[in-house]
Structure formats: C-alpha cells, structure tokens
Amino acid sequence: MKRIVMAAAGLATSFALPALAEDIKVGLMLPYSGTYASLGNDIEAGFRLGLDTYGADTGVTFDILTEDTEAKPPVALGKAKKLILQDRVDVLSGIVSSGVLGAMRDLIHGSEVPLIVANAGNDEATGEACSPWITRLSFSNGQVNRPMGTWLHEQGVGKVYTLAPDYAAGRQMIDAFTASFTDAGGEIVGQQFTPFGKTQDFGPYLAKAQASGADAVYVFYAGGEAISFVKQYDSFGLKADLPLYGAGFLTSPLYVNAEGPAAEGVIAALHYVPTIENDANAAFTTAFMAETGRLPSEYSVQGYDAARALVEAVKSGATDRASLGAALRKVSFDGPRGKLSIDPVTNNLIQPIYVYETVAGDDGLTQKVLATLPASADPANGCELAPVSN
Ligand code: BEZ
C-alpha cells in the first residue's frame, strides 16, 4: 500500500506528492492463550527483533496486527479471514499448531496471500498440500524427527515406546521417527497418542510405557504439555531405567528451567539451540538477551528469521501480496541456525538438525550439542511448485 503524503494540511489537495515510503501490513497469527501461549509470545519477540535489526534501513513501515489463534483451527480460520478480507494485510506470519496450518491452507492458497510459517511443522503444507503462497522459515515435522530415528538406532537403542499429543503434529512427528527407526532395524514396541491440550495426568500412559519392555521412550510434547510431561516422567521414576528422547521442543530453552532437574539428561533433536557457535548466533543471542533478559529459543529464532525473510523480500523490491509471495521463495541467508535456503520444490526450509542433551550449566540448564545431522531437503510428497523466476 502506498503512503501518500499530502503537500500541506489545509491546502486544496487535489494532487499528491509521490509516495515516500511503503507500508507493509503484517498479520501475526499466534497463540497468546492456551498450552502454546509462551511459544506465541516468544515468536513475536523474535519477529519484532528481526524487523528492528534488519528492517530499520528500508524506509518501510511494518504495521503489525496480532491475532490470538490459540491452538484451535476454527478460531484461527475466523481470525485469518478477518486479517485477509477486512484488514487487507499484505502478508501473514506466525502459526504454531500444525492443526491450525492444515485448516488455513485452502484459505491462504485461494486468497493468494503470502504466509511465512514461523513454527507449525505440518508436513502436508510443504508436501502434498503445498502452495506457492506458503513459505516455511521454521521446520517440518518430518525434518526434525526423521534423522533422530537413524541416529538413535546407531546409538544402540533397539526397542522404543512412543508418546505424543493426538493431533497432526504428534502423529506426523512420531510417523517420521518410526519410519527411519524401523528402517534402521529398530522396533517400536508400543505407541499412544494423548488427548491434545487436555491431558493433565500422564501416569496411565507412563505405566504402559514402563511395562512395554522398551529400551527407551521417544516423544513429542511442547509448551505447557512438555513441562507437565517431563516433570511427571521424572517423578514416576522412569528416567534412570528408560531414557527419555524426543523432538527437541520437549526441553526447549524457552521452558526448560520450568522443568528443572527433571529435564537433565534428556536427549532430543532440533533445528536450533542457543549454544550453536557462529557469528550470526552470537549477535542474535546478545541482542535477544538485551531485549528480554533471557536466551532465545527455537521459537524466537523462527520469528527472527521470518521477519528477516520479509525484510529481504521487501529489499528486493516486493511491495504487495503477489510480489512478496514470489520474493519470499527466493530468500536465503546465513542466520543464527547456519545457512538457510528455501527448497524451490516445496517451499520448506533446508537446514541442519542438532542432537542435544540438556545438562546443568553455570546459569541453569543448557544445551550440549552431541551431533550435527546434515541438512537435507524433505521428500516432495507430490509437491511440485513451479520454479521461481529471477
Ligand atoms: C506443531 O503443531 O506443528 C508444533 C507445535 C509446537 C511445537 C512444534 C510443533
């Protein structure tokens, strides 16, 4: 949208000066309530820092409109319609839950509004249900969990029991882990999906895992559910005999200190931990600490990189929905996670995965990187986006 600057107040202004700057209206759709509320706040903190860091010299005003999606697809769909049709945003970003992303896919595709996904890992959004309007700056559920199946078997673990919340992310993460773990020769001796956002007592599920004959347990939980799960796993006395592994959201730096000593020794995989050593991460962690007083997490870096991608698109000359959508697909930069690029076939991010252990550090719990698993593109699963022209 052009910002028109009138010649002078009170003059007969039948003419306008040329536009001095562009405004970009950004709809930020995040959970600010419910089990993923802290994730939403962290992504927003990263997004705002990213705009401040990279967007200040663009001459563009980024107007951010926030909406609370909770983790509820129908709620999010209503908010997305408002942002697209009523507020006429130029671009959407955010989305934490895979269920929400799945529900929004057709609306985004049909209304041709670019969406920069800043969390939700739903494989289908960059697979069989991909869209040129959906670009992911976070991770896909398969991308984080697939390498862990192979790695865990290589560590000598033969039998695993799996647990996850019963919705798209839980099912896709466990499916990806299961496929690579069994391909490597491992055995899944049992699995359960717990009611999402409603399970307070994991005891009955843990009792079954304990009786299963597994060597280890592999899970996906995030946010408030991760805190409850990790604490209950420890107080059930399972950690010593049945080591706990998972997708790294389980012991995210965002809430690991709320989990406390129960999180120590848990081994998990993620696309970012704040202990990665590179210059871009040093600059990011310093700036984030100065802003918030704490270290960033995978959620904050996703917000930060989503904002940077938007700024890069704007700097390449994009001003509206169509040009932003095309420019976002071409973004690539060296960020806190290392080198990032968008897979032109699926619009998913290509990035390395880090296996880390939660250990006690000088200032509380920290993330010790055990292995860096090389970046690889997700299978396209039928997605064939037309190449972006230069
Ligand atoms: C998801 O629903 O895709 C998701 C939610 C929280 C953390 C990671 C993934």
Side-chain angles (χ1 to χ4, degrees):
M1 286 173 297
K2 301 266 187 259
R3 175 186 284 170
I4 306 297
V5 179
M6 307 311 284
L11 291 182
T13 50
S14 57
F15 63 92
L17 292 176
L20 289 184
E22 306 281 339
D23 278 356
I24 298 285
K25 246 191 197 185
V26 185
L28 201 51
M29 300 188 62
L30 291 166
Y32 294 106
S33 53
T35 190
Y36 288 159
S38 63
L39 287 60
N41 285 308
D42 205 40
I43 292 170
E44 182 177 343
F47 194 87
R48 288 188 185 275
L49 179 62
L51 286 186
D52 289 349
T53 308
Y54 295 104
D57 63 350
T58 53
V60 167
T61 304
F62 294 92
D63 291 332
I64 300 180
L65 283 70
T66 57
E67 290 290 349
D68 182 4
T69 58
E70 308 172 44
K72 295 184 181 155
V75 171
L77 209 48
K79 302 279 174 78
K81 283 182 187 157
K82 173 190 168 285
L83 285 167
I84 294 169
L85 301 171
Q86 191 178 315
D87 299 323
R88 302 285 312 156
V89 294
D90 299 298
V91 59
L92 288 168
S93 189
I95 314 296
V96 162
S97 152
S98 283
V100 166
L101 181 55
M104 279 180 49
R105 187 270 171 201
D106 286 353
L107 176 66
I108 298 294
H109 187 73
S111 46
E112 304 191 343
V113 180
L115 166 65
I116 311 171
V117 179
N119 188 72
N122 193 324
D123 292 323
E124 291 172 4
T126 47
E128 53 268 52
C130 68
S131 163
W133 301 97
I134 300 177
T135 305
R136 179 135 52 198
L137 266 290
S138 49
F139 61 90
S140 72
N141 293 329
Q143 184 177 50
V144 170
N145 292 273
R146 198 178 306 113
M148 262 309 256
T150 318
W151 184 85
L152 198 55
H153 193 260
E154 281 167 7
Q155 308 312 303
V157 176
K159 292 182 183 174
V160 165
Y161 195 93
T162 67
L163 282 162
D166 190 7
Y167 81 105
R171 296 209 168 249
Q172 291 177 3
M173 294 210 197
I174 296 301
D175 280 356
F177 169 80
T178 298
S180 60
F181 185 67
T182 53
D183 278 357
E187 186 188 347
I188 301 293
V189 294
Q191 66 168 31
Q192 290 179 95
F193 292 97
T194 55
F196 174 47
K198 297 187 188 117
T199 308
Q200 313 257 317
D201 178 10
F202 289 97
Y205 304 97
L206 296 177
K208 285 192 184 157
Q210 189 173 29
S212 68
D215 303 326
V217 169
Y218 186 88
V219 307
F220 159 66
Y221 286 104
E225 284 196 319
I227 299 173
S228 305
F229 183 85
V230 168
K231 284 184 155 178
Q232 290 180 34
Y233 197 86
D234 189 36
S235 56
F236 223 77
L238 289 185
K239 237 171 60 181
D241 296 333
L242 211 46
L244 180 57
Y245 296 90
F249 312 98
L250 185 64
T251 42
S252 169
L254 179 60
Y255 34 77
V256 73
N257 284 313
E259 295 169 348
E264 252 179 82
V266 175
I267 295 179
L270 267 186
H271 49 294
Y272 173 78
V273 283
T275 46
I276 296 171
E277 288 181 13
N278 66 53
D279 291 348
N281 192 35
F284 171 55
T285 50
T286 304
F288 193 85
M289 284 275 284
E291 200 67 39
T292 64
R294 60 184 170 79
L295 281 167
S297 73
E298 68 278 21
Y299 307 113
S300 16
V301 83
Q302 292 164 179
Y304 184 76
D305 285 345
R308 183 169 178 185
L310 174 58
V311 170
E312 300 279 328
V314 166
K315 282 183 175 168
S316 76
T319 53
D320 56 15
R321 289 177 176 180
S323 53
L324 283 166
L328 282 166
R329 299 187 58 201
K330 291 189 260 179
V331 160
S332 88
F333 51 80
D334 276 330
R337 297 180 242 185
K339 182 153 192 53
L340 300 188
S341 62
I342 307 289
D343 180 354
V345 181
T346 64
N347 274 7
N348 194 32
L349 202 57
I350 301 180
Q351 60 193 336
I353 297 297
Y354 303 93
V355 182
Y356 75 96
E357 179 176 357
T358 298
V359 296
D362 295 338
D363 302 312
L365 295 167
T366 185
Q367 298 75 35
K368 180 179 170 195
V369 174
L370 304 180
T372 303
L373 308 177
S376 65
D378 265 3
N381 284 339
C383 169
E384 265 181 68
L385 294 177
V388 264
S389 55
N390 283 316

